[in-house]
Amino acid sequence: MPTPRLEHSHRPADIANRLSSGPDASYLRDWVYGGIDGAVTTFAIVAGSVGASLSAKVILILGIANLLADGFSMAAANYSGSKSENEDYARLRAIEEKHIAVAPDGEREEIRQIFHQKGFQGDELEALVSLVSSNKTTWIETMMQGEYGLSDTSRNPLKAALYTFAAFVLFGSIPLLPFILPVPASASTATGLTVMAFFAIGSLRARWSQRHWISCGLETTAIGTVAAAIAFLAGHGLQTWLG
């Protein structure tokens, strides 16, 4: 039986080099979130505009305005949210530093109970408590993970915002293609391209998943299509109601 291909080397020098840079923060959710929202909101504008018999020029103006304004709004919100997460982590870390300084025995007991819940007991448990509490940095990081479920891998708020904006503009521009390229400019064409955009987002997501790219693509397509249908039906219903 052939040896499975490993994702990275386990030679001591390679391990040291890989760990020296620390863990990488993931911005996958920013990319997926921005891509789906960009495609959905732009599609809703296109579908509503076509239903209202607006010209291609007006549809492009409305669509591009949405891409820039809504994309920036999402990016700014993601920036603020990511920054708030980092600030909350810093606040909780400061609390742990204070507690270790003021009530070290209580903090050791917390370490003891954290590892006890993981199945350690007796002398082995006490050795772990002594070892972890002997290094302040390790002690604090263990508390942050065990008590709050937080790691020290912070996400860069600016990167999170840029990934969201880039995905929003990239995939949000797809429903506008029928009004730019020499193809039939209709809601049906925009719908087909939007569905393809959803599938592309899901397929790309499979790179960070153990699932097959077709499965990821179909799942994202289903989610995005439902969201787009809700947006379209809401717009169509309001148009019918308001005349």
Side-chain angles (χ1 to χ4, degrees), residues 205-227:
R205 183 167 63 88
R207 184 177 182 275
W208 294 270
S209 173
Q210 291 182 309
R211 295 164 53 197
H212 195 276
W213 65 273
I214 293 180
S215 174
C216 288
L218 292 176
E219 179 187 71
T220 305
T221 300
I223 294 171
T225 301
V226 170

Side-chain angles (χ1 to χ4, degrees), residues 100-211:
I100 287 175
V102 176
D105 291 339
E107 290 297 306
R108 288 191 183 91
E109 178 58 25
E110 290 183 358
I111 289 291
R112 183 175 290 107
Q113 294 195 26
I114 286 172
F115 282 102
H116 179 71
Q117 292 178 0
K118 296 179 183 294
F120 294 96
Q121 299 180 26
D123 293 340
E124 187 179 45
L125 175 60
E126 294 305 317
L128 268 173
V129 172
S130 177
L131 184 63
V132 170
S133 60
S134 66
N135 184 288
K136 186 178 178 181
T137 299
T138 302
W139 192 351
I140 292 173
E141 290 177 354
T142 303
M143 292 302 304
M144 294 296 292
Q145 178 64 47
E147 189 171 0
Y148 303 110
L150 300 174
S151 70
D152 61 346
T153 306
S154 60
R155 285 159 34 88
N156 185 310
L158 184 57
K159 282 186 178 181
L162 290 176
Y163 273 102
T164 298
F165 183 77
F168 190 99
V169 172
L170 175 63
F171 292 101
S173 63
I174 291 178
L176 297 175
L177 292 180
F179 306 94
I180 301 174
L181 303 177
V183 295
S186 66
S188 299
T189 306
T191 299
L193 290 174
T194 302
V195 170
M196 292 172 61
F198 292 143
F199 188 81
I201 295 170
S203 300
L204 290 172
R205 183 167 63 88
R207 184 177 182 275
W208 294 270
S209 173
Q210 291 182 309
R211 295 164 53 197

